[in-house]
Amino acid sequence: MEKQYVLYGVPVRVRMEEGLVGIVNDPALRRLLASQPKAATRALVSRIKADYETTYNRTLAIADTSFTVEIWGHLYFEYCLLKYSSLCIIIFPFGLYRRFLRSCEIIDCGEQGIDPNRRLWDKFSPLQAWLSRRMAKISFTINSRKRRV
């Protein structure tokens, strides 16, 4: 099921199913997170988890910090792929660059057992402060860059 959350006047689309949430990474999401990364992400995660609990009558088993780091990690990775596209195309040959870029279009956040990367994001949770500083610095130049897909 697809839902839309309006946070700070910006609509964010989210796909939800049992044990899995997919956040659509579009200009609206990037615009929302460019202004106030911490507060906006906290509000988004809170709204998604509350809505998930109402919809499925159980808590989404993803820690808030892990959820936040996964969202920021996808956005920062996309930023690096686009900023250094000439180099990344060489480093990631045979369509791997395009595959990585496509994987950033929907930020899939799933519970352990559904999302194979859950443990990775859980391990990266202590990097939340570092990623927060990166998010503030990149100013989401992604919005103005063209994708080579």
Side-chain angles (χ1 to χ4, degrees):
M1 113 182 42
E2 186 160 319
K3 303 236 176 202
Q4 182 170 304
Y5 301 97
V6 179
L7 300 160
Y8 302 100
V10 179
V12 177
R13 293 181 305 148
V14 176
R15 298 176 186 155
M16 202 178 287
E17 59 187 72
E18 187 88 29
L20 183 67
V21 172
I23 302 166
V24 178
N25 180 4
D26 59 8
L29 176 68
R30 293 187 296 272
R31 188 172 61 250
L32 171 69
L33 298 181
S35 60
Q36 305 175 42
K38 286 182 189 179
T41 306
R42 190 178 313 117
L44 178 62
V45 167
S46 178
R47 293 274 305 273
I48 289 170
K49 289 181 88 172
D51 206 19
Y52 184 92
E53 191 165 349
T54 301
T55 303
Y56 295 104
N57 295 317
R58 69 178 189 85
T59 304
L60 181 64
I62 302 174
D64 289 0
T65 54
S66 182
F67 206 160
T68 299
V69 166
E70 185 166 4
I71 294 167
W72 290 351
H74 276 85
L75 291 170
Y76 190 68
F77 185 61
E78 180 183 38
Y79 164 78
C80 290
L81 286 172
L82 293 171
K83 181 174 182 176
Y84 305 108
S85 62
S86 298
L87 179 62
C88 287
I89 288 171
I90 294 167
I91 293 172
F92 304 119
F94 311 113
L96 198 53
Y97 172 78
R98 277 184 243 127
R99 184 205 172 284
F100 285 152
L101 205 51
R102 276 193 310 272
S103 73
C104 294
E105 292 174 358
I106 302 289
I107 302 169
D108 285 324
C109 305
E111 298 174 330
Q112 186 70 39
I114 294 174
D115 184 349
N117 297 319
R118 182 82 276 128
R119 281 193 183 144
L120 173 75
W121 297 115
D122 290 346
K123 294 258 187 231
F124 284 165
S125 290
L127 299 175
Q128 184 176 8
W130 179 84
L131 266 173
S132 173
R133 289 189 300 273
R134 300 284 98 41
M135 296 302 289
K137 287 183 179 180
I138 65 176
S139 300
F140 290 93
T141 57
I142 305 170
N143 285 332
S144 61
R145 293 188 180 267
K146 298 216 185 238
R147 292 173 152 251
R148 293 185 196 182
V149 180

